[in-house]
């Protein structure tokens, strides 16, 4: 397995209006992935406008100046392609994978909704998609067991006013209160060519992509001033644990233990990524071995740990476990905390480290094995770090992490005095 994290060519250009274009040619199959990253996520949302970036993830499929409602999806799927969009605190991205001969169609569609959504946005469309988001909140967060854990963890991890304090789903009150003009202004402000990265990976040359990008996106005017998100890089340690207990309709006690680490893309977060794999990835992890297989207090398929890859503040590392029948929440929480604490005192073995790095390598190459996975990765590094080629640094950085670095980070950042613990308790039944 090669150590280089990206062994394919990368070529870049910037149009006169500021749009950055990234191309990685790969003639293996006659397909291309088009991925458009906008540097706008929930961390950019001003007070009173939470949930706007996520709502636009929906609105951008509801028609633009020359594309009718739902036609974007119909045209891409009709030519054998696939498409979707996602929003997180750091960004919004729109993407499609199509047969190579339909690259121009994908560019036309993306350019039309970048430059032509506002004239086509109507009150009816806005109201309809607000209702869609409300239903999504109910289905994903409010009406499923443990579904609101992320909504609860963020305010415990980040203080009021911090750009990561609220989740991308936002406040329904904010979405209901805003009028059509406010939403139009939000799009005009952030969905501009000089706030975006267009990435194409697959069966197309750089010259072809650059020419098509200029043809379809070149006439869209740049936005002169794009407001920066609030600076969230510093989160003062409180020196005291944050604890929340929720009694609700859940089938068993569940515990989340969370800590702030380092921003994604930094050496410190590379250590946190390997640490999380040692702690909670799969059956060989410390949490599984201790709580599911050893003490048998956690359900085997509901125990683990992971980092949340946020790039503009100390990113969370979260460990979680769900109790077996008859096991109380206090015992479960104590077990999770004990395993986390031992990362600082019980050295990580060579076998644990090798296993964690093997899992991360497999996940990385799985992402890199598809044109759409590579397009998303290059778009991320171009947007967040200014250079898509920096993607090649990630895997070697993970492979270089040592057991001593894991112990040092655990001692520095995973202590009980700055820990977040969220516990779910089942409601008592008559």
């Amino acid at each position: 397995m090669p150590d280089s994290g990206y062994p394919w060519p990368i070529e870049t250009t910037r149009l006169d209006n500021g749009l950055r274009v990234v191309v990685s040619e790969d003639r293996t199959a006659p397909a291309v992935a088009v991925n458009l990253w906008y540097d706008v996520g929930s961390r950019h949302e001003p007070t009173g406008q939470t949930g706007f970036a996520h709502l636009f993830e929906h609105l951008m499929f509801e028609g633009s100046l020359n594309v009718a409602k739902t036609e974007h999806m119909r045209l891409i799927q009709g030519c054998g392609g696939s498409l979707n969009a996602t929003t997180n605190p750091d960004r919004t991205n729109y993407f499609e994978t199509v047969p190579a001969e339909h690259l121009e169609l994908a560019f036309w569609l993306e350019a039309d909704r970048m430059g032509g959504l506002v004239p086509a946005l109507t009150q009816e469309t806005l109201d309809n998609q607000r209702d869609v988001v409300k239903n999504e909140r109910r289905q994903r967060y409010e009406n499923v067991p443990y579904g609101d854990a992320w909504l609860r963890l963020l305010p415990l991890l980040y203080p009021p006013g911090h750009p990561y304090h609220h989740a991308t789903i936002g406040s329904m009150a904010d979405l209901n209160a805003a009028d059509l003009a406010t939403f139009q202004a939000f799009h005009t402000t952030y969905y501009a060519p000089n706030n975006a990265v267009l990435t194409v990976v697959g069966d197309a040359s750089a010259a072809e992509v650059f020419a098509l990008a200029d043809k379809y996106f070149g006439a869209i005017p740049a936005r002169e001033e794009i407001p920066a998100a609030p600076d969230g890089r510093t989160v003062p340690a409180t020196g005291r644990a944050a604890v929340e207990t929720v009694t609700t309709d859940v089938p068993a006690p569940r515990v989340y233990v969370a800590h702030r680490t380092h921003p994604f893309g930094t050496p410190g977060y590379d250590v946190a990524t390997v640490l999380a794999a040692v702690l909670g990835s799969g059956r060989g992890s410390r949490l599984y071995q201790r709580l599911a297989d050893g003490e048998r207090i956690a359900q085997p398929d509901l125990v683990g740990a992971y980092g949340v890859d946020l790039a503009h503040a100390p990113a969370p590392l979260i460990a979680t476990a769900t109790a077996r029948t008859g096991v109380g929440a206090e015992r479960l929480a104590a077990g999770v905390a004990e395993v986390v604490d031992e990362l600082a005192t019980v050295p990580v073995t060579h076998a644990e480290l090798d296993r964690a790095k093997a899992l991360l390598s497999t996940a990385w190459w799985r992402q890199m094995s598809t044109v759409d996975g590579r397009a998303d990765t290059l778009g991320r590094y171009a947007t967040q770090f200014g250079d898509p080629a920096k993607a090649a640094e990630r895997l070697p950085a993970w492979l270089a992490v040592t057991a001593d670095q894991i112990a040092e980070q655990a001692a520095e950042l995973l202590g009980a005095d700055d820990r977040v613990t969220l516990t779910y308790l089942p409601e008592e039944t008559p």
Side-chain angles (χ1 to χ4, degrees), residues 13 35 67 112 174 181 206 227 247 259-260 289 296 325 342 413 415:
T13 193
N35 198 304
V67 180
D112 198 63
D174 287 352
T247 301
H259 298 83
R260 294 178 297 273
Q289 290 290 306
R296 301 183 66 80
T325 302
E342 286 183 356
L413 298 177

Side-chain angles (χ1 to χ4, degrees), residues 148-163:
D148 62 352
W150 184 236
L151 306 187
R152 294 179 181 276
L153 284 169
L154 282 173
L156 296 171
L157 286 161
Y158 303 103
H162 190 279

Side-chain angles (χ1 to χ4, degrees), residues 290-377:
R290 174 74 67 82
L291 305 183
D293 197 33
E295 298 181 20
R296 301 183 66 80
I297 62 175
Q299 297 184 40
D301 55 342
L302 295 173
V303 59
Y306 52 92
V308 183
D309 298 347
L310 302 179
H312 299 281
L317 187 151
I318 301 171
T320 183
T322 303
R324 288 180 185 260
T325 302
V327 176
E330 289 186 8
R331 184 183 177 196
L332 183 68
V336 174
E338 185 176 319
V339 178
V340 172
D341 291 340
E342 286 183 356
L343 284 166
T345 59
V346 178
V348 172
T349 66
H350 289 299
E352 286 181 304
L353 199 57
D354 289 346
R355 176 186 169 279
K357 292 177 180 179
L359 289 172
L360 291 168
S361 296
T362 299
W364 178 261
W365 290 115
R366 185 178 294 117
Q367 172 87 357
M368 294 298 103
S369 68
T370 64
V371 290
D372 50 320
R374 274 179 265 154
D376 190 56
T377 299

Side-chain angles (χ1 to χ4, degrees), residues 249-269:
D249 184 15
V250 293
R254 177 177 289 183
V255 173
Y256 294 87
V257 170
H259 298 83
R260 294 178 297 273
T261 61
H262 296 274
F264 170 81
T266 63
Y269 192 72

Side-chain angles (χ1 to χ4, degrees), residues 249 426-430:
D249 184 15
E427 294 176 332
E428 293 185 9
T429 57

